[in-house]
Amino acid sequence: MEHPTTKLAQYPDQYARTRSMIKYSLILSSEGTVVPLPLAIANNTPSHGPNHHPHHPTAADIPSDLHEIFTHRLPDEVYFYLSRGLMGPQALVWLTSGQIVEPPPLDNGETTEYKRFIKEVITDGQTGPRATALALISTPHNAKTIQLSSPQTVQLAERVSGWNVGYAIVEEELRRQNSSTIDFVLCLGATATDKLAARTKVKSLSSGQLDKKDELVANVIWRFLELRGFLLNSHLHSPLARAMYTAVKHARLNDKFQEPLYLFLELVRAGVMHGHLWSNRAFSGGPSFGTDEEKSCMLLVMRVLSIVPLNFKPQPWSAPLSRELLVFNSFVRSLTRALRTLLEMTTLNMLLRQEARRARDDLLDIAISLPFQNEVNTGFGVLAKVYLDALTHLNNQTRVQDPMAEGVHEYKQMALDICEDTFPGVKSPKSEVERGFRFWDVALTAMRQLHSEGAVLRELIDQFEAAEAWLAPMRP
């Protein structure tokens, strides 16, 4: 104990803490309650007859400062929701530990743009999804005081409790929009005009609580859209919502572009959706042909398409890789995780406030019905690069400028055949190439809508228009 190294490591304290962590390990019971190991054993110990009198530990035998080892205790109801799959543990770890540990992404997060994105957009901003998620869960039960960056964050979290749209309106919107799914499009369509939005302004329900799964999911999405600035406090559309609703109406239903389009608009607002290099550094797997302007156009197209999930076969990836897209994917993944956490904490907030029925057996169904269940990889961007590189190479290593020129049609078919051979793990690569470029059309429509309202920088819309002019002759 007297050895200098032992003193420096505070070994006695470390030993006591480790012993206590083992002796009083926390057990999640089948009822959703959390108890220390001695109490859990005592509650499940069978009787050994009338003459057997073992000592059964009680709550008085458990140290009162276990929170110093395991962090602060949350209500048993929160652990129950966690055990039923309603949410992940990430935000609860932030709340109880008082810190957010940010692991490096696959590209190691070396760019200054990524570090700024994580700090200012995802975490510390007044409306950052992480700060908002913490405000939502620290308010109902006051488990621990969280030092939020701005009182506006707390006010925003309190304000969204005004969404209490009953099942009758949700059901009517499903019929009116000829939809069977509660999603972004349905919720935006239900607030697309002043008249429609006015119906959603319900101070309280006659039943007092949201009951059915569909109405709970719809109200979570509405609250989420207001938290992210897509819907205003008046329940009307902001420019971002109008851009999304206008663009998604041009998409095919089976293309499933809602979530990628939402992520695209978030990235545009954050200032990281562009054709410039990160920290003036070119990574491997980027554009291969053309001038700097042409490479910028291709890089923008690759990034936009990489937001869309590819349709994979159940087999390992054996196609090319791109570190350039991996760097961009670190932004997309961090954003997706933060938004999913915000959706889950919005749901938890609603239940803890008793604004929705708490005794229910459809918690996992609710979680599955919310957006952003999965994270996208770089596959679609790589597919687009292979097609465009192959076409350029076949066209004497120059970009196609006239789609009607001699041999261009054959070159495009050959480039698609190369995609078929290069991506054996992708379902119908030719069709996927076409679907990816349809997403480009949807994204461009959204950008033009934002530009019409002065909601996007002129330099950025010019980049998109230049990329469209560059891309159009090369599309299959």
Side-chain angles (χ1 to χ4, degrees):
M1 293 296 182
E2 299 301 321
H3 192 278
T5 305
T6 304
K7 284 186 175 182
L8 185 64
Q10 296 181 319
Y11 179 79
D13 181 65
Q14 185 178 348
Y15 172 81
R17 291 173 66 88
T18 304
R19 184 175 183 277
S20 296
M21 290 180 72
I22 298 171
K23 184 176 181 180
Y24 301 106
S25 298
L26 301 181
I27 305 300
L28 180 64
S29 72
S30 57
E31 290 79 26
T33 59
V34 177
V35 294
L37 180 61
L39 296 184
I41 294 175
N43 293 338
N44 290 280
T45 301
S47 173
H48 293 280
N51 297 323
H52 188 72
H53 299 287
H55 171 66
H56 291 292
T58 65
D61 298 315
I62 305 300
S64 60
D65 58 352
L66 286 182
H67 64 276
E68 297 291 342
I69 300 173
F70 296 111
T71 75
H72 289 265
R73 181 188 179 111
L74 297 171
D76 285 337
E77 184 179 1
V78 174
Y79 295 111
F80 175 76
Y81 294 142
L82 182 65
S83 71
R84 291 298 183 267
L86 178 68
M87 63 208 182
Q90 194 61 63
L92 302 179
V93 174
W94 301 339
L95 179 68
T96 53
S97 67
Q99 62 181 352
I100 296 176
V101 178
E102 181 65 32
L106 292 176
D107 71 292
N108 207 33
E110 297 171 353
T111 65
T112 55
E113 293 90 344
Y114 178 75
K115 294 173 183 176
R116 182 200 67 82
F117 179 78
I118 292 297
K119 179 174 176 58
E120 299 178 11
V121 177
I122 297 295
T123 307
D124 288 348
Q126 291 183 4
T127 59
R130 287 176 173 174
T132 310
L134 284 171
L136 285 169
I137 57 173
S138 61
T139 303
H141 50 74
N142 295 315
K144 185 177 182 182
T145 302
I146 297 295
Q147 296 298 321
L148 297 165
S149 57
S150 170
Q152 283 87 344
T153 309
V154 180
Q155 294 170 9
L156 179 62
E158 292 283 349
R159 195 175 70 198
V160 294
S161 60
W163 288 95
N164 293 289
V165 183
Y167 183 71
I169 294 176
V170 175
E171 190 176 36
E172 182 181 340
E173 282 301 313
L174 286 168
R175 288 195 302 268
R176 187 182 70 84
Q177 299 186 41
N178 192 27
S179 175
S180 59
T181 309
I182 308 294
D183 52 22
F184 284 135
V185 172
L186 182 96
C187 291
L188 290 175
T191 53
T193 66
D194 291 357
K195 183 178 179 180
L196 290 171
R199 296 184 312 155
T200 64
K201 296 178 182 178
V202 182
K203 289 187 176 181
S204 60
L205 297 172
S206 57
S207 61
Q209 290 182 320
L210 299 167
D211 181 44
K212 297 182 181 295
K213 186 202 81 170
D214 281 355
E215 62 181 340
L216 194 153
V217 170
N219 280 275
V220 168
I221 294 177
W222 274 316
R223 293 183 181 202
F224 170 84
L225 288 171
E226 183 177 344
L227 288 170
R228 298 305 302 145
F230 278 65
L231 292 177
L232 305 175
N233 193 31
S234 61
H235 292 199
L236 295 173
H237 288 193
S238 71
L240 284 169
R242 282 192 290 274
M244 181 171 181
Y245 192 57
T246 299
V248 81
K249 287 189 294 186
H250 292 81
R252 299 180 186 180
L253 182 63
N254 292 335
D255 280 343
K256 300 178 181 179
F257 286 160
Q258 287 190 43
E259 292 182 23
L261 180 59
Y262 180 92
L263 291 172
F264 169 79
L265 290 169
E266 285 271 11
L267 293 166
V268 168
R269 176 171 59 178
V272 295
M273 177 55 73
H274 52 69
H276 300 313
L277 299 176
W278 304 117
S279 300
N280 295 315
R281 176 182 174 185
F283 293 90
S284 60
S288 306
F289 298 98
T291 64
D292 289 344
E293 290 76 14
E294 290 172 343
K295 288 181 178 179
S296 177
C297 290
M298 184 171 182
L299 189 56
L300 179 58
V301 172
M302 289 169 58
R303 287 173 178 170
V304 170
L305 267 60
S306 72
I307 305 174
V308 182
L310 265 178
N311 287 317
F312 290 106
K313 296 176 184 177
Q315 66 184 65
W317 179 264
S318 58
L321 301 173
S322 168
R323 189 169 185 210
E324 183 67 63
L325 287 176
L326 198 62
V327 174
F328 178 69
N329 185 253
S330 63
F331 293 86
V332 181
R333 282 182 176 243
S334 295
L335 176 63
T336 303
R337 291 171 183 168
L339 294 176
R340 177 65 190 190
T341 299
L342 179 57
L343 280 161
E344 292 172 352
M345 295 307 103
T346 302
T347 311
L348 178 61
N349 175 273
M350 191 180 295
L351 291 166
L352 292 178
R353 286 177 172 273
Q354 303 188 46
E355 294 167 348
R357 178 170 57 86
R358 300 163 95 170
R360 55 195 317 129
D361 56 6
D362 57 357
L363 295 171
L364 183 58
D365 292 336
I366 291 171
I368 293 173
S369 299
L370 295 173
F372 307 122
Q373 293 183 57
N374 301 308
E375 298 170 9
V376 70
N377 56 36
T378 63
F380 229 126
V382 176
L383 176 63
K385 172 179 166 54
V386 169
Y387 168 78
L388 293 170
D389 278 355
L391 179 59
T392 303
H393 178 76
L394 292 167
N395 194 49
N396 296 319
Q397 297 195 358
T398 59
R399 74 179 183 93
V400 173
Q401 300 187 50
D402 180 4
M404 306 306 294
E406 182 180 355
V408 168
H409 178 72
E410 290 75 14
Y411 294 156
K412 289 181 178 180
Q413 292 304 312
M414 292 171 66
L416 290 173
D417 290 338
I418 290 173
C419 290
E420 288 278 358
D421 296 336
T422 307
F423 296 89
V426 175
K427 297 178 181 177
S428 185
K430 292 182 180 180
S431 300
E432 288 293 86
V433 169
E434 295 172 353
R435 185 167 73 96
F437 290 136
R438 288 198 296 272
F439 180 71
W440 170 263
D441 293 335
V442 171
L444 184 62
T445 300
M447 289 298 297
R448 287 170 173 168
Q449 175 64 32
L450 288 173
H451 175 59
S452 70
E453 300 189 39
V456 67
L457 293 175
R458 180 73 202 187
E459 179 196 355
L460 187 58
I461 190 64
D462 286 346
Q463 283 189 45
F464 272 84
E465 294 294 356
E468 166 66 8
W470 173 85
L471 176 65
M474 293 190 285
R475 293 178 58 161

